[in-house]
Amino acid sequence: MRANEKWRAEGVAAAAAQFKEEVTILDAAALKRSPWAQLRGLDDLIDGLGRASAAAQGLKAAVTTLSHLRAGDQRLYVYTTVEPDGSRAPIGLLKVGPKTLYHWDATGNHRCLPNQLCVLDFYVAERAQRQGVGARLFAAFLAAESAAAAAVAYDRPSPKLLAFLRKHYGLARYTPQRNNYVIYEEFFGGAKCGAKNGDALARRPLTSRGVH
Ligand code: ACO
């Protein structure tokens, strides 16, 4: 390994060692504080996870980068496992944040959903998929934000995410949207979509918790 590669690998390992909880929440405020602000390997670590997520979804560019997180109002939930040698390995990410969405129901009525909580990126390393890691990460997100899975919008969900939501939360029915966000029928409480303004659920304030 060349000297600069070794230097980077050491930085990533040092950053990984700081993920001491099973689920850690990072946002712009947390990234300005210790220990995250001082970690030279954190960009490589998070951007690497973001690239792996993009590759798994067949995307050309990563949805999750640390520089984007530093500049915005999104939260990144990072799942960390402990390897047999005792080292810590961040292997999953879930990025969420608010967006203003327009939703059309099957009859053509629409609603504006300002400040809607959305799942923007979700990934578990291939070697750990289908072992309940995603479910634990997702449950930690819902608990931290006092949200229900049906109250969240999903940005262009992959077949695996659709299967995940059906399995763990019984969510299956939605009207396809041009913007490719999925909002399940349960979001509307079973009522037909008729209102043209956002409802109370959609206006629920976001609660960003600190880093665990
Ligand atoms: N094929 C079909 N369904 C799958 C697959 C798969 N290869 N992998 C996971 N699932 C679904 C199934 O419902 C599965 O239950 P089953 O094994 O009984 O069929 C369930 O998820 C497993 O639940 P967990 O083990 O808790 O989930 P996991 O740790 O695998 O994480 C995740 C789920 C994040 C979707 C993961 O599979 C993954 O990273 N996939 C690749 C990237 C991806 O598609 N991310 C979503 C992009 S869309 C977005 O982010 C808005």
Side-chain angles (χ1 to χ4, degrees), residues 52-59 63 91-95 118-126 128-138 153-168 181:
S53 178
Q57 298 173 56
L59 303 176
V63 174
I91 56 163
L93 68 78
L94 175 60
K95 189 173 78 160
C118 299
V119 165
L120 305 168
D121 199 8
F122 188 21
Y123 171 71
V124 170
E126 278 71 11
Q129 286 179 15
R130 288 187 132 159
Q131 296 167 39
V133 169
R136 288 214 288 283
L137 180 55
F138 201 85
Y154 300 87
D155 183 6
R156 213 177 278 259
S158 66
K160 289 184 184 179
L161 179 53
L162 292 172
F164 173 93
L165 291 167
R166 180 188 282 265
K167 172 179 174 151
H168 293 295
Y181 276 82

Short mmCIF file of all heavy atoms in Angstrom, two decimals, residues 52-59 63 91-95 118-126 128-138 153-168 181, ligand 1:
data_model
loop_
_atom_site.label_atom_id
_atom_site.label_comp_id
_atom_site.label_asym_id
_atom_site.label_seq_id
_atom_site.Cartn_x
_atom_site.Cartn_y
_atom_site.Cartn_z
N ALA A 52 -21.25 3.26 -2.24
CA ALA A 52 -21.71 1.86 -2.23
C ALA A 52 -23.23 1.82 -2.38
O ALA A 52 -23.78 0.96 -3.08
CB ALA A 52 -21.27 1.17 -0.95
N SER A 53 -23.91 2.75 -1.72
CA SER A 53 -25.37 2.81 -1.84
C SER A 53 -25.78 3.12 -3.28
O SER A 53 -26.68 2.47 -3.83
CB SER A 53 -25.93 3.89 -0.89
OG SER A 53 -27.33 3.98 -1.03
N ALA A 54 -25.10 4.09 -3.88
CA ALA A 54 -25.42 4.45 -5.28
C ALA A 54 -25.19 3.25 -6.20
O ALA A 54 -26.02 2.97 -7.08
CB ALA A 54 -24.57 5.65 -5.70
N ALA A 55 -24.08 2.54 -6.00
CA ALA A 55 -23.78 1.38 -6.85
C ALA A 55 -24.87 0.32 -6.68
O ALA A 55 -25.33 -0.28 -7.66
CB ALA A 55 -22.41 0.81 -6.49
N ALA A 56 -25.31 0.11 -5.44
CA ALA A 56 -26.33 -0.92 -5.18
C ALA A 56 -27.65 -0.56 -5.86
O ALA A 56 -28.44 -1.45 -6.19
CB ALA A 56 -26.55 -1.08 -3.67
N GLN A 57 -27.90 0.74 -6.05
CA GLN A 57 -29.15 1.19 -6.66
C GLN A 57 -29.00 1.48 -8.15
O GLN A 57 -29.96 1.92 -8.79
CB GLN A 57 -29.65 2.45 -5.95
CG GLN A 57 -29.96 2.26 -4.48
CD GLN A 57 -30.27 3.58 -3.79
OE1 GLN A 57 -31.17 4.31 -4.21
NE2 GLN A 57 -29.54 3.90 -2.75
N GLY A 58 -27.79 1.30 -8.67
CA GLY A 58 -27.57 1.59 -10.09
C GLY A 58 -27.60 3.06 -10.41
O GLY A 58 -27.91 3.46 -11.54
N LEU A 59 -27.24 3.91 -9.43
CA LEU A 59 -27.22 5.35 -9.66
C LEU A 59 -25.84 5.79 -10.13
O LEU A 59 -24.82 5.23 -9.69
CB LEU A 59 -27.58 6.10 -8.37
CG LEU A 59 -28.92 5.76 -7.73
CD1 LEU A 59 -29.09 6.51 -6.41
CD2 LEU A 59 -30.06 6.08 -8.69
N VAL A 63 -26.05 9.83 -3.66
CA VAL A 63 -27.07 10.70 -3.05
C VAL A 63 -26.54 11.26 -1.73
O VAL A 63 -26.90 12.35 -1.32
CB VAL A 63 -28.37 9.90 -2.82
CG1 VAL A 63 -29.40 10.72 -2.06
CG2 VAL A 63 -28.94 9.39 -4.13
N ILE A 91 -21.76 0.12 8.57
CA ILE A 91 -22.15 -0.70 7.41
C ILE A 91 -23.52 -0.32 6.85
O ILE A 91 -23.99 -0.95 5.91
CB ILE A 91 -22.17 -2.20 7.76
CG1 ILE A 91 -23.10 -2.47 8.96
CG2 ILE A 91 -20.77 -2.73 8.01
CD1 ILE A 91 -23.50 -3.92 9.09
N GLY A 92 -24.16 0.67 7.46
CA GLY A 92 -25.48 1.04 6.95
C GLY A 92 -25.73 2.52 7.08
O GLY A 92 -25.19 3.18 7.99
N LEU A 93 -26.50 3.06 6.16
CA LEU A 93 -26.87 4.48 6.25
C LEU A 93 -28.34 4.66 5.90
O LEU A 93 -28.92 3.89 5.12
CB LEU A 93 -25.99 5.34 5.36
CG LEU A 93 -26.08 5.23 3.82
CD1 LEU A 93 -27.28 5.94 3.24
CD2 LEU A 93 -24.82 5.80 3.20
N LEU A 94 -28.91 5.68 6.51
CA LEU A 94 -30.29 6.08 6.21
C LEU A 94 -30.30 7.60 6.26
O LEU A 94 -30.03 8.19 7.30
CB LEU A 94 -31.24 5.50 7.26
CG LEU A 94 -32.71 5.90 7.19
CD1 LEU A 94 -33.32 5.49 5.86
CD2 LEU A 94 -33.48 5.24 8.32
N LYS A 95 -30.53 8.22 5.11
CA LYS A 95 -30.55 9.69 5.06
C LYS A 95 -31.98 10.16 4.92
O LYS A 95 -32.72 9.66 4.05
CB LYS A 95 -29.70 10.22 3.90
CG LYS A 95 -29.53 11.74 3.99
CD LYS A 95 -28.57 12.27 2.96
CE LYS A 95 -29.20 12.36 1.60
NZ LYS A 95 -28.49 13.27 0.69
N CYS A 118 -38.92 12.90 4.46
CA CYS A 118 -38.68 11.96 3.36
C CYS A 118 -37.47 11.07 3.65
O CYS A 118 -36.48 11.52 4.24
CB CYS A 118 -38.37 12.71 2.07
SG CYS A 118 -39.70 13.78 1.51
N VAL A 119 -37.56 9.81 3.21
CA VAL A 119 -36.38 8.94 3.17
C VAL A 119 -35.71 9.15 1.82
O VAL A 119 -36.33 8.95 0.77
CB VAL A 119 -36.78 7.47 3.38
CG1 VAL A 119 -35.63 6.52 2.98
CG2 VAL A 119 -37.16 7.23 4.84
N LEU A 120 -34.44 9.56 1.86
CA LEU A 120 -33.74 9.94 0.64
C LEU A 120 -32.69 8.91 0.20
O LEU A 120 -32.37 8.82 -0.98
CB LEU A 120 -33.07 11.31 0.86
CG LEU A 120 -34.04 12.41 1.32
CD1 LEU A 120 -33.28 13.63 1.79
CD2 LEU A 120 -35.00 12.78 0.19
N ASP A 121 -32.15 8.17 1.15
CA ASP A 121 -31.13 7.17 0.82
C ASP A 121 -31.12 6.14 1.96
O ASP A 121 -31.23 6.52 3.14
CB ASP A 121 -29.75 7.85 0.72
CG ASP A 121 -28.74 7.00 -0.05
OD1 ASP A 121 -29.12 5.97 -0.62
OD2 ASP A 121 -27.56 7.40 -0.08
N PHE A 122 -31.00 4.89 1.60
CA PHE A 122 -31.08 3.80 2.59
C PHE A 122 -30.23 2.66 2.04
O PHE A 122 -30.44 2.21 0.91
CB PHE A 122 -32.54 3.37 2.73
CG PHE A 122 -32.83 2.39 3.85
CD1 PHE A 122 -31.97 2.22 4.93
CD2 PHE A 122 -34.00 1.64 3.82
CE1 PHE A 122 -32.27 1.32 5.96
CE2 PHE A 122 -34.31 0.75 4.83
CZ PHE A 122 -33.43 0.58 5.90
N TYR A 123 -29.27 2.22 2.83
CA TYR A 123 -28.35 1.18 2.34
C TYR A 123 -27.76 0.39 3.50
O TYR A 123 -27.38 0.96 4.52
CB TYR A 123 -27.21 1.83 1.55
CG TYR A 123 -26.10 0.88 1.18
CD1 TYR A 123 -26.29 -0.11 0.22
CD2 TYR A 123 -24.85 0.97 1.80
CE1 TYR A 123 -25.27 -1.00 -0.12
CE2 TYR A 123 -23.82 0.08 1.47
CZ TYR A 123 -24.05 -0.90 0.51
OH TYR A 123 -23.05 -1.78 0.19
N VAL A 124 -27.69 -0.91 3.30
CA VAL A 124 -26.98 -1.81 4.22
C VAL A 124 -25.98 -2.59 3.36
O VAL A 124 -26.33 -3.07 2.26
CB VAL A 124 -27.96 -2.77 4.93
CG1 VAL A 124 -27.20 -3.86 5.69
CG2 VAL A 124 -28.87 -1.99 5.87
N ALA A 125 -24.75 -2.71 3.84
CA ALA A 125 -23.71 -3.43 3.07
C ALA A 125 -24.21 -4.81 2.68
O ALA A 125 -24.88 -5.49 3.48
CB ALA A 125 -22.43 -3.53 3.90
N GLU A 126 -23.85 -5.21 1.48
CA GLU A 126 -24.35 -6.47 0.91
C GLU A 126 -24.16 -7.65 1.87
O GLU A 126 -25.04 -8.50 2.03
CB GLU A 126 -23.66 -6.77 -0.43
CG GLU A 126 -24.25 -6.03 -1.63
CD GLU A 126 -23.98 -4.53 -1.64
OE1 GLU A 126 -23.16 -4.05 -0.83
OE2 GLU A 126 -24.62 -3.82 -2.44
N ALA A 128 -24.34 -7.82 4.91
CA ALA A 128 -25.19 -7.79 6.10
C ALA A 128 -26.68 -7.68 5.77
O ALA A 128 -27.51 -7.58 6.67
CB ALA A 128 -24.78 -6.63 7.00
N GLN A 129 -27.01 -7.69 4.46
CA GLN A 129 -28.44 -7.54 4.10
C GLN A 129 -29.24 -8.78 4.50
O GLN A 129 -28.71 -9.87 4.64
CB GLN A 129 -28.57 -7.30 2.59
CG GLN A 129 -28.15 -5.89 2.19
CD GLN A 129 -28.24 -5.63 0.69
OE1 GLN A 129 -28.87 -6.38 -0.05
NE2 GLN A 129 -27.59 -4.57 0.25
N ARG A 130 -30.53 -8.56 4.69
CA ARG A 130 -31.49 -9.62 5.04
C ARG A 130 -31.15 -10.32 6.36
O ARG A 130 -31.39 -11.48 6.53
CB ARG A 130 -31.60 -10.65 3.91
CG ARG A 130 -32.34 -10.06 2.73
CD ARG A 130 -32.62 -11.06 1.64
NE ARG A 130 -34.01 -10.99 1.22
CZ ARG A 130 -34.44 -11.45 0.06
NH1 ARG A 130 -33.60 -12.02 -0.78
NH2 ARG A 130 -35.71 -11.36 -0.24
N GLN A 131 -30.58 -9.53 7.28
CA GLN A 131 -30.29 -10.06 8.62
C GLN A 131 -30.89 -9.16 9.69
O GLN A 131 -30.50 -9.24 10.85
CB GLN A 131 -28.78 -10.17 8.81
CG GLN A 131 -28.11 -11.17 7.88
CD GLN A 131 -26.60 -11.04 7.87
OE1 GLN A 131 -25.98 -10.82 8.90
NE2 GLN A 131 -26.01 -11.19 6.70
N GLY A 132 -31.78 -8.25 9.29
CA GLY A 132 -32.45 -7.40 10.27
C GLY A 132 -31.76 -6.08 10.57
O GLY A 132 -32.25 -5.29 11.37
N VAL A 133 -30.62 -5.83 9.91
CA VAL A 133 -29.90 -4.57 10.15
C VAL A 133 -30.74 -3.37 9.69
O VAL A 133 -30.91 -2.39 10.41
CB VAL A 133 -28.52 -4.58 9.44
CG1 VAL A 133 -27.89 -3.19 9.47
CG2 VAL A 133 -27.61 -5.59 10.10
N GLY A 134 -31.28 -3.48 8.48
CA GLY A 134 -32.11 -2.39 7.96
C GLY A 134 -33.29 -2.10 8.87
O GLY A 134 -33.62 -0.94 9.13
N ALA A 135 -33.90 -3.15 9.39
CA ALA A 135 -35.06 -2.96 10.27
C ALA A 135 -34.66 -2.22 11.55
O ALA A 135 -35.39 -1.35 12.02
CB ALA A 135 -35.68 -4.32 10.61
N ARG A 136 -33.48 -2.55 12.09
CA ARG A 136 -33.05 -1.88 13.33
C ARG A 136 -32.71 -0.42 13.06
O ARG A 136 -33.02 0.48 13.84
CB ARG A 136 -31.87 -2.61 13.94
CG ARG A 136 -32.25 -3.95 14.56
CD ARG A 136 -31.43 -4.29 15.77
NE ARG A 136 -30.07 -4.64 15.42
CZ ARG A 136 -29.72 -5.82 14.91
NH1 ARG A 136 -30.62 -6.75 14.72
NH2 ARG A 136 -28.47 -6.06 14.61
N LEU A 137 -32.06 -0.18 11.93
CA LEU A 137 -31.70 1.19 11.56
C LEU A 137 -32.95 2.03 11.33
O LEU A 137 -33.08 3.16 11.81
CB LEU A 137 -30.81 1.14 10.30
CG LEU A 137 -30.30 2.45 9.71
CD1 LEU A 137 -29.55 3.27 10.76
CD2 LEU A 137 -29.37 2.16 8.53
N PHE A 138 -33.90 1.46 10.61
CA PHE A 138 -35.13 2.19 10.28
C PHE A 138 -35.94 2.46 11.55
O PHE A 138 -36.48 3.56 11.74
CB PHE A 138 -35.95 1.38 9.28
CG PHE A 138 -36.94 2.22 8.53
CD1 PHE A 138 -36.56 2.90 7.38
CD2 PHE A 138 -38.25 2.34 8.96
CE1 PHE A 138 -37.46 3.69 6.69
CE2 PHE A 138 -39.15 3.13 8.27
CZ PHE A 138 -38.77 3.80 7.13
N ALA A 153 -42.44 10.00 3.32
CA ALA A 153 -42.42 9.83 1.86
C ALA A 153 -41.09 9.21 1.46
O ALA A 153 -40.06 9.46 2.12
CB ALA A 153 -42.60 11.18 1.17
N TYR A 154 -41.10 8.42 0.40
CA TYR A 154 -39.92 7.65 -0.01
C TYR A 154 -39.50 8.07 -1.42
O TYR A 154 -40.30 7.95 -2.36
CB TYR A 154 -40.22 6.15 0.06
CG TYR A 154 -40.59 5.73 1.47
CD1 TYR A 154 -41.93 5.81 1.91
CD2 TYR A 154 -39.63 5.33 2.38
CE1 TYR A 154 -42.27 5.48 3.22
CE2 TYR A 154 -39.96 5.00 3.68
CZ TYR A 154 -41.28 5.07 4.09
OH TYR A 154 -41.62 4.76 5.40
N ASP A 155 -38.27 8.54 -1.53
CA ASP A 155 -37.78 9.05 -2.81
C ASP A 155 -37.33 7.89 -3.71
O ASP A 155 -36.33 7.23 -3.42
CB ASP A 155 -36.59 10.00 -2.55
CG ASP A 155 -36.08 10.64 -3.83
OD1 ASP A 155 -36.70 10.45 -4.90
OD2 ASP A 155 -35.05 11.34 -3.76
N ARG A 156 -38.10 7.66 -4.75
CA ARG A 156 -37.73 6.65 -5.77
C ARG A 156 -37.33 5.31 -5.13
O ARG A 156 -36.22 4.81 -5.33
CB ARG A 156 -36.54 7.20 -6.56
CG ARG A 156 -36.49 6.80 -8.01
CD ARG A 156 -35.28 7.49 -8.65
NE ARG A 156 -35.61 8.85 -8.99
CZ ARG A 156 -35.92 9.27 -10.21
NH1 ARG A 156 -35.91 8.41 -11.20
NH2 ARG A 156 -36.22 10.51 -10.45
N PRO A 157 -38.20 4.71 -4.33
CA PRO A 157 -37.81 3.49 -3.62
C PRO A 157 -37.47 2.35 -4.57
O PRO A 157 -38.15 2.14 -5.57
CB PRO A 157 -39.03 3.16 -2.77
CG PRO A 157 -40.16 3.86 -3.43
CD PRO A 157 -39.59 5.10 -4.06
N SER A 158 -36.42 1.63 -4.22
CA SER A 158 -36.01 0.46 -5.02
C SER A 158 -36.95 -0.71 -4.72
O SER A 158 -37.66 -0.71 -3.71
CB SER A 158 -34.57 0.07 -4.64
OG SER A 158 -34.55 -0.39 -3.30
N PRO A 159 -36.93 -1.74 -5.56
CA PRO A 159 -37.74 -2.94 -5.27
C PRO A 159 -37.43 -3.51 -3.89
O PRO A 159 -38.32 -4.00 -3.20
CB PRO A 159 -37.36 -3.91 -6.39
CG PRO A 159 -36.94 -3.00 -7.53
CD PRO A 159 -36.27 -1.83 -6.88
N LYS A 160 -36.17 -3.45 -3.47
CA LYS A 160 -35.81 -3.99 -2.14
C LYS A 160 -36.46 -3.15 -1.03
O LYS A 160 -36.91 -3.69 -0.02
CB LYS A 160 -34.29 -4.01 -1.96
CG LYS A 160 -33.59 -5.05 -2.80
CD LYS A 160 -32.09 -5.07 -2.47
CE LYS A 160 -31.34 -6.05 -3.36
NZ LYS A 160 -29.90 -6.06 -3.08
N LEU A 161 -36.48 -1.84 -1.20
CA LEU A 161 -37.10 -0.99 -0.17
C LEU A 161 -38.62 -1.20 -0.15
O LEU A 161 -39.24 -1.26 0.92
CB LEU A 161 -36.76 0.48 -0.40
CG LEU A 161 -37.38 1.46 0.60
CD1 LEU A 161 -37.08 1.08 2.04
CD2 LEU A 161 -36.90 2.89 0.32
N LEU A 162 -39.21 -1.34 -1.33
CA LEU A 162 -40.67 -1.60 -1.37
C LEU A 162 -40.98 -2.91 -0.65
O LEU A 162 -41.94 -2.99 0.14
CB LEU A 162 -41.15 -1.65 -2.82
CG LEU A 162 -41.10 -0.32 -3.59
CD1 LEU A 162 -41.41 -0.54 -5.07
CD2 LEU A 162 -42.07 0.71 -3.00
N ALA A 163 -40.14 -3.93 -0.88
CA ALA A 163 -40.35 -5.23 -0.20
C ALA A 163 -40.14 -5.08 1.31
O ALA A 163 -40.87 -5.66 2.12
CB ALA A 163 -39.42 -6.28 -0.78
N PHE A 164 -39.14 -4.30 1.67
CA PHE A 164 -38.82 -4.05 3.09
C PHE A 164 -40.01 -3.40 3.80
O PHE A 164 -40.42 -3.82 4.88
CB PHE A 164 -37.58 -3.15 3.14
CG PHE A 164 -37.21 -2.65 4.51
CD1 PHE A 164 -36.30 -3.35 5.29
CD2 PHE A 164 -37.74 -1.48 5.01
CE1 PHE A 164 -35.94 -2.88 6.56
CE2 PHE A 164 -37.40 -1.00 6.27
CZ PHE A 164 -36.50 -1.72 7.05
N LEU A 165 -40.60 -2.39 3.18
CA LEU A 165 -41.71 -1.67 3.81
C LEU A 165 -42.97 -2.53 3.89
O LEU A 165 -43.74 -2.45 4.83
CB LEU A 165 -41.98 -0.36 3.05
CG LEU A 165 -40.86 0.67 3.19
CD1 LEU A 165 -41.03 1.79 2.16
CD2 LEU A 165 -40.83 1.26 4.60
N ARG A 166 -43.14 -3.36 2.88
CA ARG A 166 -44.29 -4.27 2.90
C ARG A 166 -44.11 -5.29 4.03
O ARG A 166 -45.04 -5.55 4.79
CB ARG A 166 -44.40 -5.00 1.56
CG ARG A 166 -45.56 -5.97 1.48
CD ARG A 166 -45.48 -6.79 0.20
NE ARG A 166 -45.92 -6.05 -0.96
CZ ARG A 166 -47.14 -6.08 -1.46
NH1 ARG A 166 -48.06 -6.83 -0.88
NH2 ARG A 166 -47.46 -5.40 -2.53
N LYS A 167 -42.90 -5.82 4.16
CA LYS A 167 -42.66 -6.86 5.16
C LYS A 167 -42.75 -6.30 6.59
O LYS A 167 -43.42 -6.86 7.45
CB LYS A 167 -41.29 -7.49 4.94
CG LYS A 167 -40.92 -8.42 6.08
CD LYS A 167 -39.59 -9.09 5.91
CE LYS A 167 -39.27 -9.87 7.18
NZ LYS A 167 -38.43 -11.01 6.95
N HIS A 168 -42.03 -5.21 6.85
CA HIS A 168 -41.90 -4.74 8.24
C HIS A 168 -43.04 -3.82 8.67
O HIS A 168 -43.30 -3.71 9.87
CB HIS A 168 -40.57 -4.02 8.42
CG HIS A 168 -39.37 -4.92 8.31
ND1 HIS A 168 -39.11 -5.93 9.19
CD2 HIS A 168 -38.38 -4.97 7.38
CE1 HIS A 168 -38.00 -6.57 8.85
NE2 HIS A 168 -37.55 -6.01 7.74
N TYR A 181 -41.74 9.97 -5.91
CA TYR A 181 -41.87 9.75 -4.47
C TYR A 181 -43.05 8.82 -4.23
O TYR A 181 -44.07 8.91 -4.93
CB TYR A 181 -42.11 11.06 -3.73
CG TYR A 181 -40.84 11.81 -3.41
CD1 TYR A 181 -40.23 12.62 -4.37
CD2 TYR A 181 -40.24 11.71 -2.16
CE1 TYR A 181 -39.05 13.31 -4.09
CE2 TYR A 181 -39.07 12.39 -1.87
CZ TYR A 181 -38.49 13.19 -2.83
OH TYR A 181 -37.33 13.86 -2.55
N1 ACO B 1 -34.69 -8.80 -2.59
C1 ACO B 1 -35.97 -8.56 -2.18
N2 ACO B 1 -36.27 -8.02 -0.97
C2 ACO B 1 -35.25 -7.70 -0.17
C3 ACO B 1 -33.90 -7.89 -0.54
C4 ACO B 1 -33.65 -8.49 -1.82
N3 ACO B 1 -32.40 -8.76 -2.25
N4 ACO B 1 -33.11 -7.46 0.46
C5 ACO B 1 -33.93 -7.01 1.44
N5 ACO B 1 -35.22 -7.15 1.06
C6 ACO B 1 -36.42 -6.80 1.85
C7 ACO B 1 -37.26 -8.07 2.05
O1 ACO B 1 -38.57 -7.71 2.41
C8 ACO B 1 -36.55 -8.70 3.21
O2 ACO B 1 -37.32 -9.68 3.88
P1 ACO B 1 -37.06 -11.25 3.45
O3 ACO B 1 -35.60 -11.51 3.57
O4 ACO B 1 -37.90 -12.02 4.45
O5 ACO B 1 -37.56 -11.39 2.04
C9 ACO B 1 -36.33 -7.51 4.09
O6 ACO B 1 -36.04 -6.41 3.19
C10 ACO B 1 -35.16 -7.73 5.03
O7 ACO B 1 -35.21 -6.78 6.06
P2 ACO B 1 -33.85 -6.33 6.76
O8 ACO B 1 -32.91 -7.50 6.88
O9 ACO B 1 -34.19 -5.61 8.00
O10 ACO B 1 -33.31 -5.29 5.69
P3 ACO B 1 -31.82 -5.11 5.11
O11 ACO B 1 -30.82 -5.11 6.21
O12 ACO B 1 -31.59 -6.05 3.98
O13 ACO B 1 -31.91 -3.61 4.54
C11 ACO B 1 -32.23 -2.43 2.46
C12 ACO B 1 -32.89 -3.28 3.56
C13 ACO B 1 -31.64 -1.17 3.08
C14 ACO B 1 -33.28 -2.06 1.43
C15 ACO B 1 -31.10 -3.27 1.83
O14 ACO B 1 -31.67 -4.42 1.23
C16 ACO B 1 -30.27 -2.56 0.80
O15 ACO B 1 -29.33 -1.84 1.15
N6 ACO B 1 -30.58 -2.72 -0.50
C17 ACO B 1 -29.76 -2.15 -1.57
C18 ACO B 1 -29.92 -0.63 -1.67
C19 ACO B 1 -31.37 -0.22 -1.80
O16 ACO B 1 -32.11 -0.75 -2.62
N7 ACO B 1 -31.74 0.79 -0.98
C20 ACO B 1 -33.02 1.46 -1.05
C21 ACO B 1 -32.91 2.53 -2.10
S1 ACO B 1 -34.34 3.57 -2.29
C22 ACO B 1 -34.15 4.82 -1.14
O17 ACO B 1 -33.18 4.86 -0.47
C23 ACO B 1 -35.22 5.88 -0.95
#
